[in-house]
Amino acid sequence: MERVAQYPFTAIVGQEEMKLSLILNVINPLLGGVLIKGEKGTAKSTAVRALAELLPAMECVHGCRFHCNPENPNDWCDDCRAKQEKEGSLPVEQRKMRVVELPVNATEDRVAGTLDIEYAIRHGQKKFEAGILADANRNILYVDEVNLLDDHVVDILLDAAAMGVNTVEREGVSYSHPARFVLVGTMNPEEGDIRPQLLDRFGLSVTVTGEHERDNRIEVIKRRLAYESDPDAFLARYSGTQKELADRILAAKELLPRVAIDDEYLGKVADLSLALGVDGHRADITVIKTALTNAAFRGHTRVDQEDLLKAAKLALPHRMRRRPFEEGTLDWDKVTEILA
């Protein structure tokens, strides 16, 4: 069966905050993922799959079940490390980033993987059966209806997303492997919410709705019909903007380690969190990391006010204190006053 061309990321009409939050997480997976809340039919899953298709193939260690990056020894799995020490080099292959989907009914073992304790006792070696997190390393992990997942499974996902490592422990035996992925959770608030403690663990959060401008809705229809009529021709129309965005993302990845932020802005972010009454320090750290990543995406080596405002808009709303059955609200006037 011939594969149908994926709808281009740059052809999606509107939804700018959703698209930016996805891009920033691809540039910097340590942001902790993004939670996309909104009604059905607002291009949530389309955007996720289109972003993976947009990016060029990446170098991986040939045959590695975790798709380790041959240029980053700090993130190698035990097998790649042992192979490098034994043979002196690692074979390389090209692989496209892909979207790994996690079913709503997934169990802890299916997500994190399992250890064969009997094998370890008999042979004195660890035998690990990889789970979804192994497949997700250096890919996009997409969780639709994340609010319906078991809380413990969500905890495992968010821990791995934050640390970049998945650790499985059983009967005193443990095994760790790289799990540096872009976590994308989507949900329809009408079908239930997730606990505030888990909500806070997502790096960024955006709310999406259908287009309310008549012309934009017409454009959505036109583009979808054109895509379904001739996918290849439609993709060709956007090949230039697709390549431009892909190049920009790759350049931002290279630039990110060199981006700096002034102490003055660190103080303003701390003042902002105190003024808004957010709990803990995760909000401060995420705002700073998001601002650094946004600066890199803009091609800048130093964070400015625009980066901080954008970061606050993506990282703070879902961390606002709220009463049961109420949405947290962000006082944007207060945000701009403090960050000015």
Side-chain angles (χ1 to χ4, degrees), residues 202-222:
F202 277 95
L204 310 180
S205 175
V206 295
T207 300
V208 296
T209 60
E211 291 294 329
H212 296 293
E213 293 291 333
R214 181 174 183 270
D215 289 345
N216 287 345
R217 294 183 77 93
I218 292 173
E219 187 62 25
V220 170
I221 297 170
K222 285 183 176 179

Side-chain angles (χ1 to χ4, degrees), residues 29-32 157-165 179-181 201 289:
L30 291 181
L31 287 180
L157 294 178
L158 295 175
D159 280 341
M163 302 299 295
V165 175
R180 202 173 293 275
F181 51 85
R201 299 288 299 281
K289 288 164 66 175

Side-chain angles (χ1 to χ4, degrees), residues 109-273:
D109 286 349
R110 178 71 185 94
V111 174
T114 58
L115 278 166
D116 189 333
I117 298 300
E118 184 177 343
Y119 184 91
I121 293 173
R122 288 184 176 180
H123 302 279
Q125 295 179 332
K126 299 176 184 178
K127 184 177 182 181
F128 178 69
E129 184 175 335
I132 291 173
L133 291 181
D135 292 335
N137 188 44
R138 303 186 70 204
N139 289 309
I140 296 175
L141 180 58
Y142 179 53
V143 189
D144 193 17
E145 298 181 320
V146 65
N147 51 319
L148 303 183
L149 274 181
D150 180 81
D151 283 348
H152 184 55
V153 171
V154 177
D155 265 332
I156 293 172
L157 294 178
L158 295 175
D159 280 341
M163 302 299 295
V165 175
N166 174 47
T167 300
V168 178
E169 296 184 3
R170 186 180 169 194
E171 305 295 336
V173 180
S174 67
Y175 182 89
S176 297
H177 69 78
R180 202 173 293 275
F181 51 85
V182 178
L183 176 63
V184 181
T186 60
M187 58 176 281
N188 185 342
E190 295 178 356
E191 298 174 351
D193 212 341
I194 59 178
R195 291 190 289 112
Q197 295 89 336
L198 296 180
L199 190 62
D200 177 59
R201 299 288 299 281
F202 277 95
L204 310 180
S205 175
V206 295
T207 300
V208 296
T209 60
E211 291 294 329
H212 296 293
E213 293 291 333
R214 181 174 183 270
D215 289 345
N216 287 345
R217 294 183 77 93
I218 292 173
E219 187 62 25
V220 170
I221 297 170
K222 285 183 176 179
R223 293 187 186 184
R224 190 68 201 186
L225 292 178
Y227 166 71
E228 292 179 357
S229 174
D230 191 340
D232 291 332
F234 187 79
L235 190 63
R237 278 174 50 189
Y238 289 91
S239 60
T241 55
Q242 290 278 101
K243 185 179 186 306
E244 181 181 342
L245 179 56
D247 290 344
R248 190 177 170 192
I249 290 172
L250 294 177
K253 279 176 166 283
E254 295 290 328
L255 181 61
L256 181 58
R258 304 197 301 275
V259 180
I261 184 169
D262 295 334
D263 287 348
E264 175 191 359
Y265 284 142
L266 297 180
K268 288 187 175 184
V269 171
D271 292 339
L272 179 62
S273 293

Side-chain angles (χ1 to χ4, degrees), residues 12-31:
I12 297 173
V13 177
Q15 312 297 7
E16 298 304 326
E17 287 189 357
M18 175 179 69
K19 291 189 287 189
L20 178 62
S21 65
L22 290 170
I23 289 170
L24 294 181
N25 270 278
V26 166
I27 295 170
N28 184 6
L30 291 181
L31 287 180

Side-chain angles (χ1 to χ4, degrees), residues 320-339:
M320 301 304 299
R321 290 177 180 171
R322 55 180 181 164
R323 296 176 181 176
F325 309 109
E326 290 183 354
E327 287 288 333
T329 56
L330 181 64
D331 187 341
W332 191 245
D333 291 335
K334 182 178 290 187
V335 172
T336 53
E337 177 185 343
I338 294 174
L339 295 182

